[in-house]
Coordinates of all heavy atoms in Angstrom, one line a residue:
A18 N 67.7 116.4 31.5 CA 68.1 117.7 30.9 C 67.5 117.9 29.5 O 67.1 119.0 29.1 CB 69.6 117.9 30.9
Y19 N 67.4 116.8 28.7 CA 66.9 116.9 27.4 C 65.4 116.6 27.3 O 64.9 116.7 26.2 CB 67.7 115.9 26.5 CG 69.1 116.4 26.1 CD1 70.2 115.9 26.8 CD2 69.2 117.4 25.2 CE1 71.5 116.3 26.5 CE2 70.5 117.9 24.9 CZ 71.6 117.3 25.5 OH 72.8 117.8 25.2
A20 N 64.8 116.3 28.3 CA 63.4 116.0 28.3 C 62.6 117.2 28.0 O 62.9 118.3 28.4 CB 62.9 115.4 29.6
Q21 N 61.6 117.0 27.1 CA 60.7 118.1 26.8 C 59.7 118.4 27.9 O 59.2 117.5 28.5 CB 60.0 117.8 25.5 CG 60.9 117.5 24.3 CD 61.6 118.8 23.9 OE1 61.1 119.9 23.9 NE2 62.9 118.6 23.4
P22 N 59.5 119.7 28.1 CA 58.5 120.0 29.2 C 57.1 119.6 28.7 O 56.8 119.5 27.5 CB 58.5 121.5 29.3 CG 59.2 122.0 28.1 CD 60.1 120.9 27.6
D23 N 56.2 119.4 29.6 CA 54.8 119.0 29.2 C 54.0 120.2 28.7 O 53.4 120.9 29.5 CB 54.2 118.3 30.4 CG 52.9 117.6 30.1 OD1 52.6 117.4 28.8 OD2 52.1 117.3 31.0
E24 N 54.1 120.4 27.4 CA 53.5 121.6 26.9 C 52.0 121.3 26.5 O 51.3 122.2 26.2 CB 54.2 122.0 25.6 CG 55.6 122.5 25.9 CD 56.3 122.8 24.6 OE1 55.8 122.6 23.5 OE2 57.5 123.3 24.7
A25 N 51.6 120.1 26.6 CA 50.2 119.7 26.3 C 49.2 120.4 27.3 O 48.1 120.7 26.9 CB 50.0 118.2 26.3
K26 N 49.7 120.6 28.5 CA 48.8 121.3 29.5 C 48.6 122.8 29.1 O 47.5 123.3 29.5 CB 49.4 121.2 30.9 CG 49.5 119.8 31.4 CD 50.2 119.8 32.8 CE 50.4 118.4 33.3 NZ 51.1 118.4 34.5
D27 N 49.5 123.4 28.5 CA 49.4 124.8 28.1 C 48.7 125.1 26.8 O 48.3 126.2 26.6 CB 50.8 125.4 28.1 CG 51.6 125.3 29.4 OD1 50.9 125.2 30.4 OD2 52.8 125.3 29.3
L28 N 48.5 124.0 26.0 CA 47.9 124.2 24.7 C 46.4 124.3 24.9 O 45.8 123.7 25.8 CB 48.2 123.1 23.8 CG 49.7 122.9 23.4 CD1 49.8 121.6 22.5 CD2 50.1 124.1 22.6
P29 N 45.7 125.1 24.0 CA 44.3 125.2 24.1 C 43.7 123.9 23.6 O 44.3 123.1 22.9 CB 43.9 126.3 23.1 CG 45.1 126.4 22.2 CD 46.3 126.0 23.0
R30 N 42.5 123.7 24.0 CA 41.8 122.4 23.7 C 41.5 122.4 22.2 O 41.2 123.5 21.6 CB 40.5 122.3 24.4 CG 40.7 122.2 25.9 CD 39.4 122.0 26.6 NE 39.4 120.6 27.0 CZ 38.4 120.1 27.6 NH1 37.3 120.7 27.9 NH2 38.5 118.8 28.0
P31 N 41.6 121.3 21.5 CA 41.3 121.3 20.1 C 39.9 121.6 19.8 O 39.0 121.4 20.6 CB 41.6 119.8 19.7 CG 41.6 119.1 20.9 CD 41.9 120.0 22.1
I32 N 39.7 122.2 18.6 CA 38.3 122.6 18.2 C 37.6 121.3 17.8 O 38.1 120.5 17.0 CB 38.4 123.6 17.0 CG1 39.1 124.9 17.5 CG2 37.0 123.9 16.5 CD1 39.4 125.8 16.3
R33 N 36.4 121.2 18.3 CA 35.6 120.1 17.9 C 34.9 120.4 16.6 O 34.1 121.4 16.4 CB 34.5 119.8 19.0 CG 33.7 118.6 18.6 CD 32.7 118.2 19.7 NE 31.9 117.2 19.2 CZ 31.3 116.4 20.0 NH1 31.4 116.5 21.3 NH2 30.5 115.4 19.5
M34 N 35.1 119.6 15.6 CA 34.5 119.8 14.3 C 33.3 118.8 14.1 O 33.4 117.7 14.5 CB 35.6 119.5 13.2 CG 36.7 120.5 13.3 SD 38.0 120.2 12.0 CE 37.1 120.9 10.7
E35 N 32.3 119.3 13.5 CA 31.1 118.5 13.2 C 30.9 118.4 11.7 O 31.2 119.3 11.0 CB 29.9 119.1 13.8 CG 30.0 119.2 15.3 CD 28.7 119.8 15.9 OE1 27.7 119.9 15.2 OE2 28.8 120.2 17.1
Y36 N 30.5 117.3 11.3 CA 30.2 117.0 9.9 C 28.7 117.0 9.6 O 28.0 116.4 10.3 CB 30.8 115.6 9.5 CG 30.4 115.2 8.1 CD1 31.0 115.8 7.0 CD2 29.4 114.3 7.8 CE1 30.7 115.4 5.7 CE2 29.1 113.9 6.6 CZ 29.7 114.5 5.5 OH 29.4 114.1 4.2
H37 N 28.3 117.8 8.6 CA 26.9 117.9 8.2 C 26.9 117.6 6.7 O 27.4 118.3 5.9 CB 26.3 119.2 8.5 CG 26.3 119.6 9.9 ND1 25.4 119.1 10.8 CD2 27.0 120.4 10.6 CE1 25.6 119.5 12.0 NE2 26.6 120.4 11.9
S38 N 26.2 116.5 6.3 CA 26.2 116.2 4.9 C 25.2 117.1 4.2 O 24.2 117.5 4.7 CB 25.7 114.7 4.8 OG 25.5 114.4 3.4
V39 N 25.6 117.5 3.0 CA 24.8 118.3 2.2 C 23.6 117.5 1.6 O 22.6 118.1 1.1 CB 25.6 118.9 1.0 CG1 26.6 119.9 1.5 CG2 26.2 117.9 0.1
L40 N 23.6 116.2 1.7 CA 22.6 115.4 1.2 C 21.4 115.2 2.2 O 20.4 114.5 1.8 CB 23.1 114.1 0.7 CG 24.2 114.2 -0.4 CD1 24.7 112.8 -0.7 CD2 23.6 114.8 -1.6
T41 N 21.5 115.7 3.4 CA 20.5 115.4 4.4 C 19.2 116.1 4.0 O 18.1 115.6 4.3 CB 20.9 115.9 5.8 OG1 21.3 117.3 5.7 CG2 22.0 115.1 6.3
Q42 N 19.2 117.2 3.3 CA 18.0 117.9 2.9 C 17.7 117.8 1.5 O 16.9 118.5 0.9 CB 18.2 119.4 3.3 CG 18.3 119.7 4.7 CD 18.3 121.1 5.1 OE1 18.2 122.0 4.2 NE2 18.6 121.4 6.3
Y43 N 18.3 116.8 0.8 CA 18.0 116.5 -0.6 C 16.6 116.1 -0.8 O 16.0 115.3 0.0 CB 18.9 115.4 -1.1 CG 18.6 115.0 -2.5 CD1 18.9 115.8 -3.6 CD2 18.0 113.8 -2.7 CE1 18.6 115.4 -4.9 CE2 17.7 113.4 -4.0 CZ 18.0 114.2 -5.1 OH 17.7 113.8 -6.3
Q44 N 15.9 116.7 -1.8 CA 14.6 116.3 -2.1 C 14.6 115.7 -3.5 O 15.1 116.4 -4.4 CB 13.6 117.5 -2.0 CG 13.5 118.0 -0.7 CD 12.5 119.2 -0.6 OE1 12.0 119.6 -1.7 NE2 12.3 119.8 0.6
A45 N 14.0 114.6 -3.7 CA 14.0 113.9 -5.0 C 13.1 114.7 -5.9 O 12.2 115.4 -5.5 CB 13.5 112.5 -4.8
Y46 N 13.4 114.6 -7.2 CA 12.6 115.3 -8.2 C 11.2 114.7 -8.2 O 11.0 113.5 -8.2 CB 13.3 115.1 -9.6 CG 12.4 115.7 -10.7 CD1 12.4 117.0 -10.9 CD2 11.7 114.8 -11.5 CE1 11.6 117.6 -11.9 CE2 10.9 115.4 -12.5 CZ 10.9 116.7 -12.7 OH 10.1 117.2 -13.8
R47 N 10.2 115.6 -8.2 CA 8.8 115.2 -8.4 C 8.2 115.9 -9.6 O 8.5 117.1 -9.8 CB 8.0 115.6 -7.1 CG 8.4 114.7 -5.9 CD 7.4 115.0 -4.8 NE 8.2 114.9 -3.6 CZ 8.2 115.8 -2.6 NH1 7.5 116.9 -2.7 NH2 8.9 115.7 -1.6
E48 N 7.5 115.2 -10.3 CA 6.8 115.7 -11.5 C 5.8 116.8 -11.0 O 5.0 116.5 -10.1 CB 6.1 114.6 -12.2 CG 5.6 115.0 -13.6 CD 6.7 115.1 -14.6 OE1 7.7 114.4 -14.5 OE2 6.6 116.0 -15.5
Q49 N 5.8 118.0 -11.5 CA 4.9 119.0 -11.1 C 3.6 118.9 -11.9 O 3.6 118.5 -13.1 CB 5.5 120.4 -11.4 CG 6.7 120.7 -10.5 CD 7.3 122.1 -10.8 OE1 6.9 122.8 -11.7 NE2 8.3 122.4 -10.0
T50 N 2.6 119.2 -11.3 CA 1.3 119.2 -12.0 C 1.2 120.4 -12.9 O 1.6 121.5 -12.5 CB 0.1 119.2 -11.0 OG1 0.2 120.4 -10.2 CG2 0.1 118.0 -10.1
L51 N 0.8 120.2 -14.1 CA 0.7 121.2 -15.1 C -0.7 121.9 -15.0 O -1.7 121.2 -14.8 CB 0.9 120.7 -16.5 CG 2.3 120.1 -16.7 CD1 2.3 119.5 -18.1 CD2 3.3 121.2 -16.5
T52 N -0.7 123.2 -15.1 CA -2.0 123.9 -15.1 C -2.4 124.1 -16.6 O -1.6 124.5 -17.4 CB -1.8 125.3 -14.5 OG1 -1.2 125.2 -13.2 CG2 -3.1 126.1 -14.4
P53 N -3.7 123.8 -16.8 CA -4.2 124.0 -18.2 C -4.0 125.5 -18.6 O -4.1 126.4 -17.8 CB -5.6 123.7 -18.1 CG -5.8 122.8 -16.9 CD -4.7 123.3 -16.0
W54 N -3.7 125.7 -19.9 CA -3.3 127.1 -20.3 C -4.5 128.0 -20.2 O -4.3 129.2 -19.9 CB -2.8 127.1 -21.8 CG -3.8 126.7 -22.8 CD1 -4.1 125.4 -23.3 CD2 -4.7 127.6 -23.5 NE1 -5.0 125.4 -24.2 CE2 -5.4 126.8 -24.4 CE3 -4.9 128.9 -23.5 CZ2 -6.4 127.3 -25.3 CZ3 -5.9 129.5 -24.3 CH2 -6.6 128.6 -25.2
V55 N -5.7 127.6 -20.3 CA -6.9 128.4 -20.1 C -6.9 129.0 -18.7 O -7.1 130.2 -18.5 CB -8.2 127.7 -20.5 CG1 -9.4 128.6 -20.3 CG2 -8.1 127.2 -22.0
E56 N -6.7 128.1 -17.7 CA -6.7 128.5 -16.3 C -5.6 129.4 -16.0 O -5.7 130.4 -15.3 CB -6.6 127.2 -15.5 CG -6.8 127.5 -14.0 CD -6.7 126.2 -13.2 OE1 -7.1 125.2 -13.7 OE2 -6.2 126.3 -12.0
A57 N -4.4 129.2 -16.6 CA -3.2 130.1 -16.4 C -3.5 131.4 -17.0 O -3.2 132.5 -16.3 CB -2.0 129.5 -17.0
N58 N -4.1 131.5 -18.1 CA -4.5 132.8 -18.7 C -5.5 133.5 -17.9 O -5.5 134.8 -17.7 CB -5.0 132.6 -20.1 CG -3.9 132.3 -21.1 OD1 -2.7 132.5 -20.8 ND2 -4.2 131.9 -22.3
D59 N -6.5 132.8 -17.3 CA -7.5 133.4 -16.5 C -6.9 134.0 -15.2 O -7.3 135.1 -14.7 CB -8.6 132.4 -16.1 CG -9.5 132.1 -17.3 OD1 -9.4 132.8 -18.3 OD2 -10.2 131.0 -17.3
T60 N -5.9 133.3 -14.6 CA -5.2 133.7 -13.4 C -4.5 135.0 -13.7 O -4.5 136.0 -12.9 CB -4.3 132.7 -12.9 OG1 -5.0 131.5 -12.7 CG2 -3.5 133.1 -11.7
V61 N -3.8 135.1 -14.9 CA -3.1 136.3 -15.2 C -4.0 137.5 -15.4 O -3.8 138.6 -15.0 CB -2.2 136.1 -16.5 CG1 -1.7 137.4 -17.0 CG2 -1.1 135.1 -16.3
A62 N -5.2 137.2 -16.0 CA -6.2 138.2 -16.2 C -6.7 138.7 -14.9 O -6.9 140.0 -14.7 CB -7.3 137.7 -17.1
R63 N -6.9 137.8 -13.9 CA -7.4 138.2 -12.6 C -6.3 139.1 -11.8 O -6.7 140.0 -11.1 CB -7.7 137.0 -11.7 CG -9.2 136.6 -11.8 CD -9.5 135.5 -10.8 NE -9.4 134.2 -11.6 CZ -8.6 133.2 -11.3 NH1 -7.9 133.2 -10.3 NH2 -8.6 132.1 -12.1
I64 N -5.1 138.8 -12.0 CA -4.0 139.5 -11.4 C -3.9 140.9 -11.9 O -3.6 141.9 -11.2 CB -2.7 138.8 -11.5 CG1 -2.7 137.5 -10.7 CG2 -1.5 139.6 -11.0 CD1 -1.5 136.6 -10.9
G65 N -4.2 141.1 -13.2 CA -4.1 142.4 -13.8 C -3.4 142.4 -15.2 O -3.2 143.4 -15.8
G66 N -3.1 141.2 -15.7 CA -2.6 141.1 -17.0 C -1.2 141.4 -17.1 O -0.4 141.6 -16.2
W67 N -0.8 141.7 -18.4 CA 0.6 141.9 -18.7 C 1.1 143.3 -18.1 O 2.3 143.5 -17.9 CB 0.9 141.9 -20.2 CG 0.1 143.0 -20.9 CD1 -1.1 142.9 -21.5 CD2 0.6 144.3 -21.2 NE1 -1.5 144.0 -22.1 CE2 -0.5 144.9 -21.9 CE3 1.7 145.0 -21.0 CZ2 -0.4 146.2 -22.4 CZ3 1.8 146.3 -21.4 CH2 0.8 146.9 -22.1
R68 N 0.2 144.2 -17.9 CA 0.6 145.5 -17.4 C 1.2 145.4 -16.0 O 2.1 146.1 -15.6 CB -0.6 146.4 -17.3 CG -1.1 146.8 -18.7 CD -2.3 147.8 -18.7 NE -2.7 148.1 -20.0 CZ -3.6 147.4 -20.7 NH1 -4.1 146.3 -20.2 NH2 -4.0 147.8 -21.9
V69 N 0.7 144.5 -15.1 CA 1.2 144.2 -13.8 C 2.6 143.7 -13.9 O 3.5 144.2 -13.2 CB 0.3 143.3 -13.0 CG1 1.0 142.9 -11.7 CG2 -1.0 143.9 -12.8
Y70 N 2.9 142.8 -14.8 CA 4.2 142.3 -15.0 C 5.2 143.3 -15.5 O 6.3 143.4 -15.1 CB 4.2 141.1 -16.0 CG 3.5 139.9 -15.4 CD1 2.4 139.3 -16.1 CD2 3.9 139.2 -14.3 CE1 1.7 138.2 -15.6 CE2 3.2 138.1 -13.8 CZ 2.2 137.6 -14.5 OH 1.5 136.5 -14.0
A71 N 4.7 144.2 -16.4 CA 5.5 145.3 -16.9 C 5.9 146.3 -15.7 O 7.0 146.7 -15.7 CB 4.8 146.1 -18.0
K72 N 5.0 146.6 -14.9 CA 5.2 147.5 -13.7 C 6.3 146.8 -12.8 O 7.2 147.5 -12.3 CB 4.0 147.8 -12.9 CG 3.0 148.7 -13.7 CD 1.8 149.0 -12.8 CE 0.8 149.8 -13.6 NZ -0.5 149.9 -12.9
E73 N 6.1 145.5 -12.5 CA 7.0 144.8 -11.6 C 8.4 144.8 -12.2 O 9.4 144.9 -11.5 CB 6.6 143.3 -11.4 CG 5.4 143.2 -10.5 CD 5.0 141.7 -10.4 OE1 5.7 140.8 -10.9 OE2 4.0 141.5 -9.7
A74 N 8.6 144.7 -13.5 CA 9.9 144.7 -14.2 C 10.6 146.0 -14.0 O 11.8 146.1 -14.0 CB 9.7 144.3 -15.6
Q75 N 9.8 147.1 -13.9 CA 10.4 148.4 -13.8 C 10.8 148.8 -12.3 O 11.5 149.7 -12.1 CB 9.5 149.5 -14.3 CG 9.4 149.4 -15.8 CD 8.3 150.4 -16.4 OE1 7.7 151.1 -15.6 NE2 8.3 150.5 -17.7
M76 N 10.2 148.1 -11.3 CA 10.5 148.3 -9.9 C 11.9 147.8 -9.5 O 12.3 146.8 -10.1 CB 9.4 147.7 -9.0 CG 8.1 148.2 -9.2 SD 7.0 147.2 -8.1 CE 5.7 148.3 -7.9
P77 N 12.5 148.4 -8.5 CA 13.7 147.8 -8.0 C 13.4 146.5 -7.3 O 12.2 146.3 -6.8 CB 14.2 148.8 -7.0 CG 13.1 149.8 -6.7 CD 12.2 149.7 -7.9
P78 N 14.3 145.5 -7.2 CA 14.0 144.2 -6.6 C 13.4 144.2 -5.2 O 12.6 143.4 -4.9 CB 15.3 143.5 -6.7 CG 16.1 144.2 -7.7 CD 15.7 145.6 -7.7
Q79 N 13.8 145.2 -4.4 CA 13.3 145.2 -3.0 C 11.8 145.6 -3.0 O 11.1 145.3 -2.1 CB 14.0 146.3 -2.2 CG 15.5 146.1 -2.2 CD 16.2 146.9 -3.3 OE1 15.8 146.8 -4.4 NE2 17.2 147.7 -2.9
A80 N 11.3 146.4 -3.9 CA 10.0 147.0 -3.9 C 9.0 146.1 -4.7 O 7.8 146.4 -4.7 CB 10.0 148.4 -4.5
Q81 N 9.4 145.0 -5.3 CA 8.5 144.2 -6.0 C 7.6 143.5 -5.1 O 8.0 142.8 -4.2 CB 9.3 143.2 -6.9 CG 10.0 143.8 -8.1 CD 10.7 142.8 -9.0 OE1 10.6 141.6 -8.7 NE2 11.3 143.3 -10.0
P82 N 6.3 143.5 -5.4 CA 5.3 142.9 -4.5 C 5.3 141.4 -4.8 O 5.7 140.9 -5.9 CB 4.0 143.5 -5.0 CG 4.2 143.9 -6.4 CD 5.6 144.3 -6.5
V83 N 4.9 140.6 -3.8 CA 4.8 139.2 -3.9 C 3.3 138.9 -4.1 O 2.5 139.2 -3.3 CB 5.3 138.5 -2.7 CG1 5.1 137.0 -2.8 CG2 6.8 138.8 -2.4
V84 N 3.0 138.3 -5.3 CA 1.6 138.0 -5.6 C 1.3 136.6 -5.3 O 2.0 135.6 -5.8 CB 1.3 138.3 -7.1 CG1 -0.1 137.9 -7.5 CG2 1.6 139.7 -7.4
N85 N 0.3 136.3 -4.4 CA 0.0 134.9 -4.1 C -1.1 134.5 -5.1 O -2.3 135.0 -5.0 CB -0.5 134.9 -2.7 CG -0.8 133.5 -2.2 OD1 -0.7 132.5 -3.0 ND2 -1.1 133.3 -0.9
V86 N -0.8 133.7 -6.0 CA -1.7 133.2 -7.0 C -2.9 132.4 -6.4 O -4.0 132.5 -6.9 CB -1.0 132.4 -8.1 CG1 -2.0 131.9 -9.1 CG2 0.1 133.2 -8.8
E87 N -2.6 131.7 -5.4 CA -3.7 130.9 -4.8 C -4.7 131.8 -4.1 O -5.9 131.4 -4.1 CB -3.0 129.9 -3.7 CG -2.1 128.9 -4.3 CD -2.8 128.0 -5.2 OE1 -3.9 127.6 -5.0 OE2 -2.1 127.6 -6.3
A88 N -4.3 132.9 -3.6 CA -5.3 133.8 -2.9 C -6.2 134.5 -4.0 O -7.3 135.0 -3.6 CB -4.5 134.9 -2.1
T89 N -5.8 134.6 -5.2 CA -6.6 135.3 -6.2 C -7.7 134.4 -6.8 O -8.5 134.8 -7.6 CB -5.7 135.8 -7.3 OG1 -5.0 134.7 -8.0 CG2 -4.7 136.8 -6.8
K90 N -7.7 133.1 -6.5 CA -8.7 132.2 -7.1 C -10.0 132.3 -6.4 O -10.2 132.7 -5.3 CB -8.2 130.7 -6.9 CG -7.0 130.4 -7.9 CD -6.7 129.0 -7.7 CE -5.6 128.6 -8.7 NZ -5.2 127.3 -8.6

Side-chain angles (χ1 to χ4, degrees):
Y19 284 103
Q21 299 293 324
D23 191 13
E24 295 175 359
K26 294 178 184 175
D27 299 335
L28 294 176
R30 298 183 106 180
I32 298 172
R33 182 178 174 156
M34 299 180 75
E35 295 182 17
Y36 173 75
H37 299 284
S38 176
V39 296
L40 299 177
T41 56
Q42 295 184 7
Y43 172 76
Q44 294 180 359
Y46 175 77
R47 287 189 217 130
E48 194 73 34
Q49 295 181 355
T50 57
L51 297 177
T52 305
W54 66 269
V55 175
E56 185 179 328
N58 285 347
D59 291 342
T60 303
V61 171
R63 267 187 264 122
I64 292 172
W67 64 269
R68 290 179 182 89
V69 173
Y70 292 121
K72 288 179 187 175
E73 286 179 5
Q75 293 176 352
M76 293 178 159
Q79 307 90 306
Q81 288 184 356
V83 177
V84 178
N85 187 356
V86 176
E87 295 298 321
T89 59
K90 287 184 179 181

